[in-house]
Amino acid sequence: MKYISTRHAADRVSFLEAVERGLAVDQGLYVPESWPLIQPGEITDHSFIGIAQKILSPFLRDELTAHELHSLLKSAYDFQIPLRYLKNDTAVLELFHGPTAAFKDIAARFLARFMNLKISEQRTILVATSGDTGGAVASAFDEFKKFRAVVLFPRNGVSPLQRQQLTCWSDNVLSLEVNGSFDDCQRLVKTILGDAQVREQFGLASKFRFTSANSINIGRLLPQMIYHSAAAIWYQQKTGHAPGLIIPTGNLGDAVAAFWARKIGMPIREITIATNANTTLSNFYRTGRYEPRPSIRTLANAMDVGAPSNFERLSDLHPDVHELKKISSAVSVLDDEIRHAIRHGKADWGEIWCPHTATAAVARERMKTPHWIIVSTAHPAKFSEIVNPLIGGEIEMPPNLAQLFERPSRSTPVDATIDSVADALLGKTSH
Ligand SMILES: *Cc1c(COP(=O)(O)O)cnc(C)c1O
């Protein structure tokens, strides 16, 4: 399988090259050049790893042997990814049992292992984060010492829990606490990754080879197909019905992976994109016009995105909005509704929702058709400062999160300038 750019003006490349480049030279996003069709009946082993192997092998056949893929999957997914059945033909897919308690662990762990297998020299993995991504990437690369993960986060933009999971890793993770906003962090990362002249000027070019691990990297998209596929197969097996998936959405990475899973023949009836008060996608479904706008802050902050970076992949797959609307929809959920869903989650569903998953729970309640899977993207304890007052109690910390708090925290303060970040990268700044 080769990978091509959504803008069709760049070379076809291998998966490894697509991972290493991040963005194609024409500034488009990498997508598979063709879509193998997999009949669910062909999948005989319905374990998570069995399904993962079957789904990913056509995409990675040229680069990993069946045995390599199998060992990679077994080592990456040594935690549970359960589908739990609730009432009213509804199930919840829990993607938060990995080391940092959000679904981003699942893709980050795949990416780290793939790179470890295929790249023998050192690499510097650079990522800007406003929350869950940085922790998942740091955690995933922590054990692979030939890589250095560099995480930039805004000093005043993360909760104490988020801060801990960005800063509690080994020496090969450099956590840079930027005196600025998330946008500053993103700008710094983009400049260093994208501007060879800047890398030269600040003495970075000869020392490091950089790779990005942000949500447009195909190495993060592809593995997200696994759990959507597994959940749909399991649900259909148990109930006899193909489910719809409701996916809490920000940059549209997780949802695009679900469209891809549907494209290769997985029994996904339809897809609902649940967003918060950032309405770019729900407006697009309503008007047919894509009009990105600045993001606004909501309770579901990992979804505070006004210009979803994977939109280009969605419109590449489904250029015709009318066709897209036959198989999917988008809903926007306001903070008051998120609060209401968390407050009543226990009584209504027997669940404590995280603020992101709460948007999907609200969307489920609006649906008139049966058979839906709510995709749960984070453990509610990650957002206890929001959740506790609403449930009128203290949510229990799961063991994966509790473990992170036993580790010492370490970070390097930097200014929001290339100069300051370069000094930290070169080891000229003290911790
Ligand atoms: C990142 C994130 C999302 C949004 O996922 P996208 O792939 O960006 O759409 C939703 N929920 C949580 C908890 C997240 O961390």
Side-chain angles (χ1 to χ4, degrees):
M1 176 72 70
K2 293 286 189 206
Y3 293 81
I4 54 172
S5 162
T6 46
R7 300 194 185 170
H8 302 282
D11 289 344
R12 304 155 74 226
V13 298
S14 68
F15 185 72
L16 176 61
E17 286 172 271
V19 163
E20 290 216 76
R21 290 185 190 182
L23 214 56
V25 284
D26 61 2
Q27 306 298 304
L29 308 182
Y30 283 112
V31 294
E33 78 172 344
S34 66
W35 298 102
L37 200 61
I38 301 172
Q39 306 292 342
E42 283 173 51
I43 304 175
T44 45
D45 174 356
H46 282 186
S47 67
F48 186 83
I49 302 288
I51 292 171
Q53 177 92 21
K54 195 82 190 175
I55 299 296
L56 292 188
S57 55
F59 294 98
L60 297 168
R61 193 165 281 149
D62 306 335
E63 286 159 87
L64 296 178
T65 65
H67 178 73
E68 282 172 332
L69 178 59
H70 187 76
S71 331
L72 187 161
L73 292 166
K74 277 213 82 103
S75 130
Y77 305 128
D78 58 354
F79 50 88
Q80 284 212 321
I81 301 179
L83 181 68
R84 293 180 36 246
Y85 295 85
L86 311 176
K87 59 168 194 178
N88 292 357
D89 304 315
T90 302
V92 58
L93 177 63
E94 292 185 352
L95 302 178
F96 53 69
H97 297 284
T100 70
F103 82 97
K104 294 193 171 77
D105 282 328
I106 297 174
R109 289 171 69 80
F110 178 94
L111 178 65
R113 281 163 181 74
F114 178 79
M115 288 179 62
N116 184 52
L117 210 58
K118 301 298 286 187
I119 300 174
S120 48
E121 324 83 71
Q122 298 184 336
R123 283 286 187 283
T124 300
I125 322 301
L126 204 55
V127 69
T129 188
S130 57
D132 296 321
T133 298
V137 168
S139 160
F141 281 92
D142 184 63
E143 65 186 272
F144 299 111
K145 304 298 179 205
K146 73 181 165 213
F147 299 131
R148 182 152 80 141
V150 180
V151 176
L152 281 75
F153 66 95
R155 188 166 77 186
N156 296 319
V158 299
S159 73
L161 200 155
Q162 285 176 324
R163 190 178 190 290
Q164 176 67 16
Q165 68 165 20
L166 291 168
T167 58
C168 69
W169 308 103
S170 326
D171 282 347
N172 63 321
V173 175
L174 178 63
S175 305
L176 301 182
E177 187 164 358
V178 177
N179 189 9
S181 65
F182 171 63
D183 290 340
D184 291 322
C185 299
Q186 214 161 20
R187 175 178 50 81
L188 291 162
V189 166
K190 268 195 180 152
T191 308
I192 295 172
L193 289 174
D195 193 331
Q197 228 169 335
V198 163
R199 289 199 296 274
E200 197 65 49
Q201 181 188 345
F202 288 92
L204 303 173
S206 57
K207 289 235 163 175
F208 308 111
R209 272 194 71 179
F210 292 101
T211 301
S212 87
N214 58 20
S215 78
I216 53 124
N217 195 304
I218 184 114
R220 285 185 49 194
L221 247 303
L222 210 61
Q224 295 185 345
M225 290 168 73
I226 306 170
Y227 48 77
H228 295 309
S229 303
I233 289 171
W234 294 335
Y235 191 97
Q236 190 178 44
Q237 173 95 354
K238 185 174 168 88
T239 67
H241 297 276
L245 299 180
I246 310 177
I247 305 175
T249 293
N251 271 318
L252 207 47
D254 206 11
V256 162
F259 280 97
W260 287 2
R262 189 177 186 283
K263 182 81 179 170
I264 62 168
M266 293 301 108
I268 296 166
R269 187 189 67 237
E270 61 187 291
I271 292 160
T272 293
I273 292 166
T275 67
N276 55 28
N278 290 279
T279 53
T280 304
L281 290 169
S282 52
N283 288 349
F284 167 72
Y285 270 79
R286 203 162 36 76
T287 64
R289 285 193 307 276
Y290 178 66
E291 294 171 334
R293 48 179 71 191
S295 66
I296 57 173
R297 283 183 87 118
T298 75
L299 291 172
N301 67 350
M303 295 156 49
D304 289 348
V305 176
S309 54
N310 284 290
F311 182 78
E312 200 165 315
R313 283 190 171 115
L314 180 63
S315 57
D316 182 68
L317 188 70
H318 294 294
D320 182 339
V321 187
H322 297 288
E323 293 303 313
L324 181 66
K325 280 162 93 165
K326 287 182 192 159
I327 58 160
S328 61
S329 58
V331 299
S332 167
V333 174
L334 303 178
D335 272 358
D336 273 345
E337 298 174 288
I338 291 176
R339 282 193 201 91
H340 186 271
I342 296 173
R343 210 178 271 127
H344 297 278
K346 203 86 200 166
D348 290 348
W349 295 100
E351 295 293 305
I352 299 173
W353 305 119
C354 91
H356 310 83
T357 310
T359 64
V362 172
R364 172 65 190 98
E365 282 161 17
R366 290 190 200 160
M367 299 300 171
K368 296 188 178 70
T369 47
H371 300 301
W372 290 95
I373 294 174
I374 292 171
V375 175
S376 181
T377 49
H379 192 287
K382 266 193 115 162
F383 305 93
S384 52
E385 71 284 359
I386 296 170
V387 174
N388 282 348
L390 292 169
I391 61 170
E394 182 94 15
I395 190 161
E396 207 184 315
M397 188 77 87
N400 46 350
L401 280 183
Q403 266 174 27
L404 298 186
F405 275 89
E406 285 161 20
R407 293 161 161 259
S409 152
R410 210 164 38 85
S411 68
T412 305
V414 294
D415 288 328
T417 62
I418 300 284
D419 217 346
S420 186
V421 172
D423 278 354
L425 280 166
L426 294 164
K428 295 186 191 159
T429 318
S430 53
H431 291 300

